[in-house]
Amino acid sequence: MEQVIQAIEALLGPQGCLIDQDARRPYESGARYGNGSAACIARPANVEEAAELLRLCARDKIRIVAQGANTGLVGAASPDRSGRDVVLSMERIKGIVEIDPVDRVVQAYAGTRLSDLNQALAPHGLCFPIDLGADPSLGGMLAANTGGARLIRYGDVRHNVLGLEALLMNPPGQRLDLTNRLRKNNTGPDWKQWFIGTGGAYGIVTQAVLQVHPLPQQCATALVVPASPEAGLLLLRDAERHFSDFLTAFEGISHNAMQSVLRHLPGMQAPFEPLPPYAFLIELSSARPRSADFDLEKLFGAWLEACFGDLILDAVIDKPEVLWRLRHAISESVRHEGKVIAFDIAVPRSRLAAFREEAVALVGRGYPGVGVFDFGHWGDGGLHFNLVVPQALMEVCSEERIAVLRQEIYDLAVRKYRGSFSAEHGVGPFNQSFYDRYTAPEQQALAAGMQAAFDPERLLGATRFMSAQ
Amino acid sequence: MEQVIQAIEALLGPQGCLIDQDARRPYESGARYGNGSAACIARPANVEEAAELLRLCARDKIRIVAQGANTGLVGAASPDRSGRDVVLSMERIKGIVEIDPVDRVVQAYAGTRLSDLNQALAPHGLCFPIDLGADPSLGGMLAANTGGARLIRYGDVRHNVLGLEALLMNPPGQRLDLTNRLRKNNTGPDWKQWFIGTGGAYGIVTQAVLQVHPLPQQCATALVVPASPEAGLLLLRDAERHFSDFLTAFEGISHNAMQSVLRHLPGMQAPFEPLPPYAFLIELSSARPRSADFDLEKLFGAWLEACFGDLILDAVIDKPEVLWRLRHAISESVRHEGKVIAFDIAVPRSRLAAFREEAVALVGRGYPGVGVFDFGHWGDGGLHFNLVVPQALMEVCSEERIAVLRQEIYDLAVRKYRGSFSAEHGVGPFNQSFYDRYTAPEQQALAAGMQAAFDPERLLGATRFMSAQ
């Protein structure tokens, strides 16, 4: 091991190889899960160095865990505890290669942050509209196939990747250049898909070409109180009927989530008094500026008025910044309430209300005192069904009990509602056991074939898609 | 072979197994390319029978070529000339499983025709907006990943598939159930991608779950004459700036293509006198009905007026049916002009005008008398760069010369312009040699790994993605 670390340092220089424990630490723990110890943190300055690193590690069968901005939520970018993993940080391989406004594309290196991407795009009137709480790297966004709050309009990352470049492990360091800018290209398997949403298990993304979108020039935003829990889905359907060209978000926020933000976010005013059981944040936007003959706020206002009584009990029309501030502050606020048991679930959106009702009842029945602080992307069936164990209950809520609860909720979502145990966070060591539980044997068999083709020595990534045997 | 055919007949019944030469014939030739002879045409009535057929053929190492509505344009659904292929027609495995208007999804069997799908969706105010000249089956659309004229708004088939079911060859007849309805599901590799755009090489799609879209309630359509060839791209960019929420088509039509339609389509009036060198069919649409405060035709008219002089020389605003009739009649009309050499090319859309100019010059220089009758999807960089060898030149334009011409055009598109030799038709025996020519060795090596995992005996499909060796 000592020799490998020396070789990496010789290859990448002291800047490119962090060995000291203090220097390593920020890279060894994930944003939510994942906590290990790496042999070293390799920080290559360019793709050639990264390719050489792969060759070097392959020779000694050292596992490589790629890491972007380390904002992932399933531990997929964290080393294990063996002290033998090399973390490959992509943070120095960054920057915009080109923006082409006629193509409406941007090509950039994997280490580029989402915020930097959008800053570079803005002067061209363009944006990459993946809306997230964090500021991930481009490579990490591809590895996790991030979704976010505006998927209903723009799709997830996968829908917007036109091309990419990846480094393969078979043979080690092989560069695979798929950086085309084509919107139509039916020339065989769509190889780029193998590297999206797979957490670096089949190769390491070094560059991506993204389709980007015109910056919205006007929007209309409201927080509305549905007439009943079921009214949420009717409201969604009606909103799509009237505004399918413009609907950019349809987010659900529970009473507890709202209350938590009001308690912990300084200066936030209560949108309703008293707080309703549930509310929906609805956003319309258009790349066409507001004008007398095209005014989204006006159209939206008329629709809200028409829905009053039947579907909507109350509504707050406010500056989008204020309403989104409330929405984006939930995750952080809820952390102050006690121990958070986070879920990133999706079900078919038509069944979201039914799933939520059944899951809330399950918790109430089996785990009295545990609070439900959920919010979710109702437009696409995503639900962050977050539970909070209050301080007073910590003693009686053991790790084992929480594990049972977790599985009960996932079983309900996946087995009864044909949903997903990971809507947008991906698969990593944190939820590897649930992947094993819910993935059909025939899929795991295919994954074994993929593993043999792409990484026969199993040297890439912290996630395994084939069964453990 | 005789025994295998008997076994198939025993399994599927006389209705399900066509042996007679006359009965086989419609299935043995493709719509444009592909012309072979099959051992028999197997027409299973359901997925179970199809699975059993796969097992039966695998035992005797008989190759299976899946076929939908047989509208493909690269021969990928045609048997070879050995008389040993079994054509698996999916035409009897059809019908809608479910339409869910809240989910905005339809689940249907692979043999369902696009027109039937849309007919079933219409009462729900929904549609599957892949716009094509042909009426393919759902399975064929997935196998080819069809694009069409409205990709700029809705994406290709791949973008709209939420789930599918496929039959695998490893082990033979294994059913792979990926029929979920989730818009967010990041639980590992997106397995469904393996079966989209791969011509049945890795499995046979039996069902699909599609995201569908609200039926447009109003549209605005115009045929416009750009001020210059380069003005086309400026016009596209400007149209996206003003109407990115509504732009559903931006199609280019050459002088020759227009003239051909006028010559051969009865009752079609000339949109312009004289016909311009090039014209663009621009369509906006919205799912929101026309109203005083939202009228696309009014907004569109104002924009066209503002573009006059600088970008646009002339424009015809007409009923969409009339303009689309002109557009959709091109392929058929051009066939009357002589021998058509068809190209289905894409380049980055910012380079489409430059590519076209260079390709036209190449033809004029090396192949005088050969006419260029192109049209294309400028919104997504697709160009049907169709050439016509007039009757009088047939003698001097040998097959060998045409083959050289074909390769010159493809080399220009793929190598110089980083484009695609198959934008939307896929890969089949017709263009297999170009796949081999333009696909990097490292991709073909990955394909060999995929082949080993999915179909080690190479029994599925008429297309090979690994190198011939």
Side-chain angles (χ1 to χ4, degrees), chain A residues 102-104 144-145 148 153 159 184-186 240 242-243 245 286 288 349-350 377 380 420 422 424 426, chain B residues 102-104 144-145 148 153 159 184-186 240 242-243 245 286 288 349-350 377 380 420 422 424 426:
Chain A
V102 177
D103 277 332
R104 254 202 304 114
N145 183 31
R153 172 67 169 276
H159 278 77
K184 273 184 174 156
N185 183 28
N186 279 342
E240 282 198 342
H242 283 79
F243 299 112
D245 309 301
S286 172
R288 191 178 172 83
R349 64 183 203 180
S350 61
H377 316 293
D380 54 56
S420 171
S422 188
E424 43 187 10
Chain B
V102 177
D103 277 332
R104 251 199 309 114
N145 183 32
R153 171 68 169 275
H159 278 77
K184 273 184 174 157
N185 183 26
N186 279 342
E240 283 198 343
H242 284 80
F243 299 112
D245 310 301
S286 172
R288 189 178 174 84
R349 66 183 202 181
S350 60
H377 316 293
D380 54 56
S420 171
S422 189
E424 44 186 11

Side-chain angles (χ1 to χ4, degrees), chain A residues 335-392:
Chain A
R335 248 172 262 163
H336 296 285
E337 304 285 344
K339 182 181 169 58
V340 177
I341 312 170
F343 291 90
D344 166 36
I345 279 168
V347 297
R349 64 183 203 180
S350 61
R351 309 193 72 192
L352 195 48
F355 166 75
R356 183 179 182 272
E357 194 184 329
E358 196 164 344
V360 169
L362 184 158
V363 173
R365 216 166 42 236
Y367 306 84
V370 171
V372 180
F373 287 71
D374 68 300
F375 62 100
H377 316 293
W378 282 58
D380 54 56
L383 190 66
H384 295 289
F385 188 72
N386 292 339
L387 305 180
V388 173
V389 184
Q391 211 61 41

Side-chain angles (χ1 to χ4, degrees), chain A residues 41-244:
Chain A
I41 314 300
R43 300 167 67 246
N46 52 52
V47 179
E48 292 70 26
E49 282 189 7
E52 194 52 43
L53 177 77
L54 262 64
R55 283 189 280 270
L56 200 155
C57 289
R59 267 200 293 277
D60 288 294
K61 303 207 194 310
I62 305 291
R63 191 171 81 149
I64 291 184
V65 178
Q67 187 177 100
N70 201 13
T71 58
L73 295 174
V74 291
S78 302
D80 67 19
R81 292 180 182 178
S82 67
R84 289 184 52 85
D85 287 348
V86 167
V87 170
L88 163 51
S89 168
M90 300 296 285
E91 63 190 341
R92 290 170 73 202
I93 308 181
K94 67 178 176 186
I96 309 284
V97 178
E98 199 189 343
I99 294 172
D100 188 318
V102 177
D103 277 332
R104 254 202 304 114
V105 301
V106 59
Q107 180 168 348
Y109 285 103
T112 314
R113 295 282 192 127
L114 175 58
S115 59
D116 292 328
L117 204 59
N118 275 323
Q119 215 178 324
L121 287 165
H124 301 276
L126 297 169
C127 66
F128 187 52
I130 304 288
D131 180 77
L132 302 167
D135 187 19
S137 72
L138 184 49
M141 293 178 81
L142 266 73
N145 183 31
T146 41
R150 291 184 170 101
L151 182 138
I152 189 174
R153 172 67 169 276
Y154 301 104
D156 52 17
V157 166
R158 186 188 304 283
H159 278 77
N160 292 287
V161 176
L162 297 182
L164 56 78
E165 178 193 65
L167 292 176
L168 304 179
M169 203 40 127
N170 186 22
Q174 169 74 53
R175 215 158 158 161
L176 182 66
D177 182 2
L178 306 170
T179 56
N180 73 67
R181 297 181 180 187
L182 304 173
R183 284 173 169 78
K184 273 184 174 156
N185 183 28
N186 279 342
T187 52
D190 191 9
W191 297 107
K192 63 179 180 284
Q193 306 290 347
W194 283 226
F195 307 99
I196 303 176
T198 49
Y202 301 130
I204 292 165
V205 172
T206 50
Q207 283 188 64
V209 181
L210 305 171
Q211 166 173 265
V212 292
H213 298 268
L215 268 172
Q217 297 297 324
Q218 64 168 311
C219 65
T221 317
L223 190 68
V224 313
V225 179
S228 68
E230 305 74 45
L233 291 172
L234 297 174
L235 206 54
L236 169 62
R237 195 177 162 187
D238 208 57
E240 282 198 342
R241 249 189 217 149
H242 283 79
F243 299 112
S244 82

Side-chain angles (χ1 to χ4, degrees), chain B residues 294-442:
Chain B
F294 180 58
D295 185 335
L296 276 187
E297 277 186 0
K298 214 177 104 193
L299 299 175
F300 193 40
W303 175 75
L304 287 172
E305 211 155 295
C307 291
F308 252 86
D310 266 4
L311 293 174
I312 292 179
L313 295 184
D314 202 354
V316 174
I317 301 175
D318 204 340
K319 291 211 176 76
E321 308 86 71
V322 176
L323 297 175
W324 280 102
R325 205 169 145 238
L326 167 66
R327 165 62 187 78
H328 280 314
I330 298 172
S331 291
E332 184 56 35
S333 301
V334 168
R335 248 171 263 164
H336 296 285
E337 304 286 343
K339 182 180 169 59
V340 177
I341 313 170
F343 291 90
D344 166 37
I345 279 169
V347 296
R349 66 183 202 181
S350 60
R351 308 194 72 191
L352 194 49
F355 166 75
R356 184 180 180 271
E357 194 184 329
E358 196 165 343
V360 169
L362 185 158
V363 173
R365 214 167 41 235
Y367 305 85
V370 171
V372 180
F373 288 70
D374 67 301
F375 62 101
H377 316 293
W378 283 57
D380 54 56
L383 190 65
H384 295 290
F385 189 72
N386 291 341
L387 305 179
V388 174
V389 184
Q391 211 60 40
L393 276 183
M394 289 293 227
E395 297 282 305
V396 292
C397 230
S398 64
E399 281 302 317
E400 291 71 29
R401 256 199 108 198
I402 291 177
V404 172
L405 166 58
R406 208 180 269 287
Q407 185 158 309
E408 283 186 80
I409 297 288
Y410 281 144
D411 277 359
L412 186 69
V414 178
R415 297 208 162 138
K416 180 158 179 190
Y417 285 86
R418 297 206 68 196
S420 171
F421 65 93
S422 189
E424 44 186 11
H425 296 171
V427 182
F430 157 66
N431 54 10
Q432 179 78 62
S433 67
F434 298 107
Y435 175 88
D436 298 342
R437 181 175 174 86
Y438 300 119
T439 308
E442 53 271 24

Side-chain angles (χ1 to χ4, degrees), chain B residues 84-131:
Chain B
R84 288 184 53 86
D85 287 348
V86 167
V87 170
L88 163 50
S89 168
M90 300 296 285
E91 64 190 341
R92 291 169 73 201
I93 308 182
K94 68 178 175 185
I96 309 285
V97 178
E98 200 190 343
I99 294 172
D100 189 319
V102 177
D103 277 332
R104 251 199 309 114
V105 301
V106 58
Q107 180 167 350
Y109 284 103
T112 314
R113 294 283 191 125
L114 176 57
S115 59
D116 292 329
L117 204 59
N118 274 322
Q119 216 177 326
L121 288 165
H124 300 277
L126 297 169
C127 67
F128 187 52
I130 303 288
D131 180 77

